[in-house]
Amino acid sequence: MSQVLVVTSGKGGVGKTTSTAAIGAALAMNGNKVAVVDFDVGLRNLDLVMGAERRVVYDLINVVQGEAKLQQALIRDKRLDTLFLLPASQTRDKDALTSEGVARVMDELREHFDWIVCDSPAGIERGAMLAMRHADVAVVVTNPEVSSVRDSDRIIGMLDAKTAKAERGEYMEKHLLLTRYDAARAERGQMLKVDDVLEILSIPLLGIIPESEAVLNASNVGCPVTLVDGDSAPAKAYIDAARRLEGEEIPMVVPMERRGLMSKLFGRRAA
Ligand SMILES: Nc1ncnc2c1ncn2[C@@H]1O[C@H](COP(=O)(O)OP(=O)(O)OP(=O)(O)O)[C@@H](O)[C@H]1O
Ligand SMILES: [Mg+2]
């Protein structure tokens, strides 16, 4: 059965697009047929992170408006033949995404894919609402800081109230993905601790993605970090998160500050 997953956050710049690409690729590496869908009309970022920007001909709006068939707009990944991108339009008006059209495209995607991963725009405006509308499961991307947690709390409220599933009286499955986690800053008290975030948001933890240069390097070469640098800490955390989405139980790794750990060990030995 196909699953529609929305990657959402409320606050901008927290790592939604990065996470959509990384989780989409990880699910595809596990043998699933995956479509990542860019709902961020006007900004069009997912194609860059996926390294497909020069191959975009048709986009989500063309398909929603009936100007192109779904198969014409889908771009197959160069590296993984089970991974596809449905890009967003950079130029068109956001209002061109009609709710009936989006519903039709999502139904069609469900016929062809195991996982449909929707990259939401920031905020709680129409685009974000359309991205979450048909989701079966939501990943709420949050940075360990107060403003991000507050916006995630708002988006959790929206997920429970405004989605098709919520309107049918069904429970909306939600997972917390803590991203850009900096262990050193958390230890110094400059960031919220994992437990603090969990206590405020009170949804199950899907993974903790460390702040890492590997993510920036992957973005620069236009490849999901899980594909280009699978042994890096963020890739491993994303791969585990994807496996948890598939129902596997995997122990959670909380990123530790290596220097802090070393000095603690050293300190203990010296004592
Ligand atoms: N774990 C990480 N380590 C380091 N940098 C990261 C990490 N995750 C994301 N970033 C960087 O943070 C920036 C924002 O990430 P991204 O575009 O994925 O966020 P977004 O939530 O999709 O933003 P927007 O709301 O604008 O769509 C990018 O430059 C990205 O490379
Ligand atoms: Mg984005």
Side-chain angles (χ1 to χ4, degrees):
M1 212 183 70
S2 67
Q3 292 260 36
V4 176
L5 167 75
V6 64
V7 179
T8 186
S9 72
K11 191 172 192 295
V14 292
K16 291 179 294 297
T17 301
T18 304
S19 301
T20 301
I23 291 175
L27 288 167
M29 280 153 68
N30 287 350
N32 297 286
K33 198 171 170 203
V34 179
V36 291
V37 183
D38 194 349
F39 273 86
D40 206 348
V41 174
L43 287 178
R44 219 187 82 173
N45 239 329
L46 189 56
D47 55 341
L48 292 171
V49 175
M50 302 283 294
E53 69 277 12
R54 282 188 298 273
R55 291 197 281 152
V56 175
V57 179
Y58 294 113
D59 56 55
L60 175 63
I61 288 184
N62 293 131
V63 184
V64 162
Q65 298 272 311
E67 296 155 357
K69 296 265 187 297
L70 178 61
Q71 302 301 337
Q72 289 175 278
L74 284 167
I75 302 171
R76 189 192 285 261
D77 190 83
K78 284 176 275 190
R79 301 142 296 217
L80 259 183
D81 63 4
T82 49
L83 179 61
F84 292 77
L85 164 72
L86 183 54
S89 166
Q90 208 167 18
T91 51
R92 299 276 297 260
D93 185 358
K94 290 176 195 172
D95 291 336
L97 280 186
T98 61
S99 45
E100 303 74 32
V102 169
R104 184 177 47 75
V105 174
M106 296 313 283
D107 279 346
E108 201 180 340
L109 283 164
R110 280 181 189 277
E111 287 171 25
H112 297 282
F113 292 95
D114 302 312
W115 284 90
I116 299 127
V117 186
C118 303
D119 182 19
S120 175
I124 51 164
E125 307 299 321
R126 205 176 119 77
M129 292 300 133
L130 280 173
M132 71 166 67
R133 174 98 202 129
H134 303 279
D136 302 304
V137 44
V139 167
V140 180
V141 179
T142 308
N143 293 164
E145 47 159 81
V146 173
S147 63
S148 173
V149 173
R150 195 177 42 215
D151 287 0
S152 290
D153 213 12
R154 263 192 110 182
I155 221 75
I156 288 169
M158 294 295 180
L159 287 163
D160 284 334
K162 296 277 191 184
T163 51
K165 229 180 165 182
E167 283 172 11
R168 290 196 301 266
E170 294 169 23
Y171 175 69
M172 184 74 199
E173 190 183 325
K174 300 172 289 293
H175 300 272
L176 173 67
L177 189 66
L178 203 55
T179 56
R180 310 204 67 170
Y181 183 79
D182 184 329
R185 294 189 63 196
E187 259 168 48
R188 289 199 296 270
Q190 293 168 337
M191 273 187 163
L192 293 176
K193 299 226 163 52
V194 177
D195 285 347
D196 296 335
V197 181
L198 283 172
E199 200 182 307
I200 300 167
L201 296 180
S202 159
I203 58 173
L205 183 61
L206 184 69
I208 305 167
I209 315 296
E211 172 82 15
S212 165
E213 270 195 14
V215 172
L216 299 178
N217 295 339
S219 164
N220 284 339
V221 296
C223 187
V225 69
T226 40
L227 268 183
V228 74
D229 194 0
D231 285 332
S232 64
K236 282 183 175 158
Y238 275 124
I239 289 166
D240 282 355
R243 288 169 64 189
R244 289 189 190 103
L245 283 171
E246 289 188 281
E248 272 187 66
E249 277 186 29
I250 300 167
M252 189 70 63
V253 179
V254 180
M256 298 270 276
E257 219 266 295
R258 223 178 269 148
R259 229 174 332 152
L261 188 67
M262 288 306 282
S263 59
K264 264 185 214 154
L265 289 174
F266 187 70
R268 209 175 294 152
R269 226 180 278 148

